[in-house]
Amino acid sequence: MASSILVKVTCLAMICLVLSIPLANAVITCPDADITLKSCLPYVAHPTQWPPLECCTAVLGLTARAVTREDRQAVCKCLLGLMNGIPGLDLTAFAAVPILCAANIGYIIRPNMDCNSVP
């Protein structure tokens, strides 16, 4: 019985440690942003009237996590890399996702955006 409780406590401690890692790293990484925004790729490749709910949820979540200027600039650079790195994306649809999802990212997404000027 005691070893079962010890195992549970150890597992809980490990989960807390893993969940706190993103808080220790202030800047959002591109792999993290890419995975988060994966649900938006079908929409930006073949736009419909609205992005899927999963896409908007991901965009709003990423926007909420990008609290510092460095975070917002990092996300901007990731978006720029996605726009230039995935052939066949509808860039108009790509730029419209934050607007359609009511996410205030603080800048307009475009292929020639200067991420260093993101507030």
Side-chain angles (χ1 to χ4, degrees), residues 53-72:
L53 178 61
E54 299 84 16
C55 171
C56 287
T57 301
V59 170
L60 290 167
L62 187 60
T63 303
R65 287 182 41 223
V67 294
T68 67
R69 181 172 189 235
E70 291 78 18
D71 286 335
R72 291 187 293 276

Side-chain angles (χ1 to χ4, degrees), residues 93-111:
F94 194 94
V97 168
I99 297 163
L100 295 173
C101 294
N104 182 10
I105 62 171
Y107 52 92
I108 297 171
I109 298 173
R110 58 186 184 276

Side-chain angles (χ1 to χ4, degrees), residues 31-47:
D32 186 33
D34 294 352
I35 290 169
T36 302
L37 299 175
K38 184 178 178 181
S39 60
C40 297
L41 289 178
Y43 174 78
V44 296
H46 305 287

